[in-house]
Amino acid sequence: MSPLDRIGSLAPTRRALSLVEEFKAFALKGNVIDLAVAVIIGAAFGKIVESLVKNIFMPLVAAVTPGGQGYKGWKFTVNGSEVLVGEFLGEVVNFLIVALALFLFIKKFLGWAMRMRRDEVVAVPPLTTDQELLTEIRDQLRNRPT
């Protein structure tokens, strides 16, 4: 290949079109679309869990603990800066609920689905007459002294 041919192969329009084609093939694959749907559902699930923690669990925690402002009032001051311990505790509870939900989904539901799929594996069909004969010939050739 001559140097001029190599320069022609570096044509920017050809490389740009190739990049666009590669991106289109990547972006329109089913896996990318499935991942996008999973991210959107995950964000919605996160909002539901956040609401559950902030509106139900943490007010119950605040009701059984002493203090007038609830868990959001749990803070202390260090050199003029407020450390919001109650807000942090709410986020920890939020994380634990999401982690528990993921654990149950992955270990229990997906584990069950994988076991069901494994049980459905089709048994190997019996050998045909031709295959049996070929197997016998192969075995005889292996056992033959060289």
Side-chain angles (χ1 to χ4, degrees):
M1 179 179 263
S2 72
L4 291 177
D5 291 334
R6 279 187 269 159
I7 290 173
S9 69
L10 297 176
T13 55
R14 186 180 309 150
R15 291 186 69 201
L17 287 176
S18 172
L19 184 63
V20 168
E21 291 297 320
E22 285 181 42
F23 176 74
K24 190 165 65 171
F26 169 77
L28 296 180
K29 277 186 178 177
N31 294 345
V32 174
I33 294 169
D34 292 344
L35 180 62
V37 169
V39 167
I40 292 168
I41 290 174
F45 178 72
K47 288 181 181 181
I48 290 170
V49 170
E50 181 179 351
S51 176
L52 177 70
V53 169
K54 287 183 179 178
N55 299 322
I56 296 177
F57 286 144
M58 294 311 291
L60 290 174
V61 169
V64 297
T65 56
Q69 298 178 355
Y71 77 97
K72 291 189 181 216
W74 300 349
K75 55 188 167 189
F76 60 91
T77 306
V78 176
N79 294 332
S81 297
E82 286 187 337
V83 179
L84 304 173
V85 178
E87 294 285 334
F88 176 72
L89 181 62
E91 294 302 323
V92 169
V93 171
N94 190 1
F95 167 77
L96 291 174
I97 291 173
V98 170
L100 176 67
L102 287 174
F103 170 77
L104 291 174
F105 180 74
I106 291 171
K107 292 297 276 183
K108 300 302 176 188
F109 179 73
L110 290 182
W112 172 79
M114 293 302 289
R115 281 190 303 275
M116 292 297 290
R117 182 177 288 165
R118 186 178 42 213
D119 292 343
E120 292 176 358
V121 173
V122 179
V124 178
L127 296 176
T128 64
T129 307
D130 293 343
Q131 291 171 334
E132 287 179 12
L133 290 172
L134 288 171
T135 304
E136 288 178 21
I137 293 170
R138 181 201 62 205
D139 293 342
Q140 287 176 2
L141 287 173
R142 279 188 187 161
N143 295 332
R144 184 179 76 171
T146 54

